[in-house]
Amino acid sequence: MPALQPARGTQDLLPDIARRHRQVSETARALAGLYGFAEMATPIFEFTEVFARPIGEHTDIVSKEMYTFTDRGGEEVTLRPENTAGVVRAVLSNGLTQSTPLKFFYSGPMFRYERPQKGRFRQFHQIGVELMGVATPQADVEVIALGNRILKELGIADRVTLELNTLGDPQSRTAYRDALVGYFSARHSELSEDSRRRLERNPLRILDSKDPGDQRVTGEAPDFSDYLNEASHAFFARVRDGLDRLGIAFRLNPRLVRGLDYYTHTVFEFVTTDIGAQGTVLAGGRYDGLIELMGGPAMPGVGWAAGIERLALLIAEPPAPARPIALVPIGEHAESRALPLAEQLRDAGLVVDLGYSGNLARRMRRADRIGARAAVLLGDDELAKGIATVRDFDSGEQREVPLDDLAMCLRALG
Ligand code: ATP
Ligand code: MG
């Protein structure tokens, strides 16, 4: 039988990579806490309708990327492709809409049936925040500030650029949509197959096309700012002003639209050119219509999600874990004393590794392989005298230590 392989687009997070992921998620979790966001976790799968309606039938996610199946009980379920819809569903199911503002942080796996490539997987991981119940632009500024601070703390702030745009309120968006349909219809023949399809369903997405032919057409497309009403202009001005006051630099990108249908007003992305084509590391915006669309009260919201895989590629090597002490029993009696002694040393806060089996040479090789700081050699004769031998791998020195002093002596090695 050939060796089993992981499913396409999935990967194992072996310890070195898992450590990078944890560095990202723990940094984000701690800083989200600093801003008063509380962690929540929603199920990895939901009834399909939780995602289908809010994300929008005409988005890539719903039309071709969802992992949807009928379970054994005949229910239509979907592995979550993103977490905003799940968080909103949880807020509604648990009747949390009374005490706003609501501030949540999440971290976990998401699933999309995509063509795998560098920085793009079928199972990937996101961290994200949602702030619900605040209609003022301060909320947009604060969630961006949190994203910015996380990137700074991860040491990658100078490798990313914040891009900012507004999609206006629904009235402005409809006016712009109509203008786009008019413009693109006139240049229909120049558009790619994909974009022609988007023309009827989701014309704003054409602006986002990576096709060079499309980009020639979108370059001359009408500008959203000409279709923004007064209120939308004013809202966006306050977001920009708020960012200026915090010293958060941004670049206006009038072509920035988000993949999901539910965004209004502010949209933003932190992008980098350092990891190839998949350069968006953190992306989000305001979604004022979403909660009502999902059957809740009319309640505004703003948030973002960031791809852990892409962030993990950018960060520096996280601090190495503490080097272990290798416990090496030699002889039958020592063997039976090893586990209790290991527990004692762990009580004292030491990282202890037990090789379990093999002769002295083999266990010393293991100690070397795991980068042990020192080995504790435990022979039957020594045990009888109440001592053990400590071999310091860095200095090469070896000495006898009373068992009672062992923890202290090992801790002193640092
Ligand atoms: P893209 O344009 O790259 O497809 P998107 O608009 O679909 O991105 P979002 O839904 O906004 O992405 O997700 C937020 C972030 O999650 C992205 O900026 C990216 O960092 C990460 N992400 C999204 N899809 C994937 C994936 N398939 N593999 C790895 N990371 C992903
Ligand atoms: Mg996508």
Side-chain angles (χ1 to χ4, degrees):
M1 183 170 145
L4 296 173
Q5 296 298 322
R8 189 166 145 78
T10 69
Q11 55 179 349
D12 303 307
L13 302 178
L14 297 180
D16 283 349
I17 303 291
R19 208 145 46 83
R20 286 177 166 269
H21 276 228
R22 212 176 62 202
Q23 173 89 349
V24 171
S25 60
E26 285 182 358
T27 301
R29 180 177 290 113
L31 293 178
L34 194 64
Y35 284 66
F37 286 76
E39 181 159 12
M40 84 138 74
T42 64
I44 278 171
F45 65 92
E46 302 261 5
F47 292 127
T48 298
E49 66 198 21
V50 170
F51 305 114
R53 190 153 39 120
I55 295 174
E57 273 173 69
H58 306 317
T59 59
D60 285 353
I61 293 184
V62 173
S63 63
K64 53 189 192 210
E65 295 175 2
M66 291 213 302
Y67 273 93
T68 296
F69 57 99
T70 309
D71 73 10
R72 288 166 196 273
E75 304 282 11
E76 276 270 301
V77 295
T78 295
L79 301 184
R80 60 183 190 193
E82 55 95 42
N83 214 348
T84 302
V87 170
V88 171
R89 199 272 310 135
V91 163
L92 300 179
S93 316
N94 293 283
L96 305 180
T97 53
Q98 296 306 312
S99 51
T100 55
L102 295 165
K103 297 165 79 175
F104 296 115
F105 166 81
Y106 62 80
S107 169
M110 310 293 157
F111 305 85
R112 296 183 194 176
Y113 192 81
E114 306 210 56
R115 196 168 64 78
Q117 48 200 293
K118 187 179 178 198
R120 188 179 294 287
F121 307 93
R122 290 183 175 177
Q123 174 176 336
F124 61 101
H125 299 78
Q126 285 183 339
I127 44 171
V129 296
E130 311 296 351
L131 200 176
M132 293 177 232
V134 183
T136 54
Q138 283 100 310
D140 309 47
V141 175
E142 197 174 21
V143 299
I144 293 174
L146 170 54
N148 186 63
R149 189 185 288 252
I150 291 169
L151 298 173
K152 218 193 257 174
E153 181 76 16
L154 289 171
I156 57 183
D158 53 357
R159 298 170 71 186
V160 297
T161 307
L162 170 59
E163 299 200 339
L164 190 69
N165 193 21
T166 180
L167 301 177
D169 61 11
Q171 190 197 14
S172 307
R173 190 166 162 162
T174 306
Y176 185 52
R177 193 195 138 100
D178 291 347
L180 277 185
V181 171
Y183 170 79
F184 286 129
S185 300
R187 300 185 62 170
H188 192 264
S189 59
E190 298 166 65
L191 291 175
S192 69
E193 192 78 24
D194 264 351
S195 287
R196 284 181 204 170
R197 215 172 314 116
R198 291 187 191 120
L199 183 52
E200 286 139 47
R201 301 166 167 180
N202 196 351
L204 260 70
R205 276 293 270 174
I206 299 177
L207 297 175
D208 196 27
S209 172
K210 308 280 185 288
D211 180 272
D214 285 344
Q215 283 179 346
R216 268 194 302 278
V217 182
T218 58
E220 293 155 25
D223 240 345
F224 208 153
S225 59
D226 296 333
Y227 295 83
L228 291 176
N229 57 22
E230 196 69 33
S232 301
H233 265 300
F235 191 97
F236 194 41
R238 288 175 64 194
V239 172
R240 295 191 318 256
D241 184 52
L243 291 172
D244 286 340
R245 280 167 198 268
L246 296 182
I248 298 173
F250 58 85
R251 194 174 79 80
L252 293 177
N253 176 359
R255 294 285 171 264
L256 178 64
V257 293
R258 304 279 309 123
L260 313 183
D261 270 355
Y262 53 61
Y263 286 102
T264 50
H265 289 294
T266 320
V267 288
F268 57 90
E269 291 189 351
F270 284 87
V271 298
T272 176
T273 50
D274 290 358
I275 49 172
Q278 317 305 327
T280 302
V281 294
L282 186 154
R286 180 165 276 281
Y287 48 82
D288 287 348
L290 175 65
I291 298 162
E292 195 174 15
L293 177 73
M294 292 184 69
M299 187 161 102
V302 57
W304 54 252
I308 297 182
E309 280 77 3
R310 295 183 196 175
L311 291 172
L313 283 176
L314 286 167
I315 61 173
E317 186 67 22
R323 291 167 69 191
I325 302 296
L327 206 54
V328 183
I330 310 147
E332 219 166 290
H333 183 54
E335 203 75 65
S336 68
R337 284 290 304 277
L339 261 181
L341 184 62
E343 287 292 274
Q344 248 176 40
L345 296 176
R346 289 166 185 151
D347 285 343
L350 290 154
V351 179
V352 180
D353 181 86
L354 264 175
Y356 291 114
S357 63
N359 59 19
L360 178 62
R362 188 178 155 165
R363 290 199 198 198
M364 292 308 271
R365 271 204 304 278
R366 173 175 168 81
D368 186 51
R369 198 174 62 237
I370 62 174
R373 175 67 185 82
V376 175
L377 307 174
L378 223 48
D380 285 349
D381 296 348
E382 291 165 301
L383 269 179
K385 287 189 279 175
I387 57 168
T389 300
V390 172
R391 186 181 297 176
D392 181 332
F393 285 126
D394 287 358
S395 68
E397 275 166 29
Q398 182 161 310
R399 64 193 167 103
E400 293 189 336
V401 177
L403 287 176
D404 289 344
D405 300 342
L406 196 55
M408 206 179 58
C409 158
L410 292 170
R411 272 217 304 262
L413 291 177

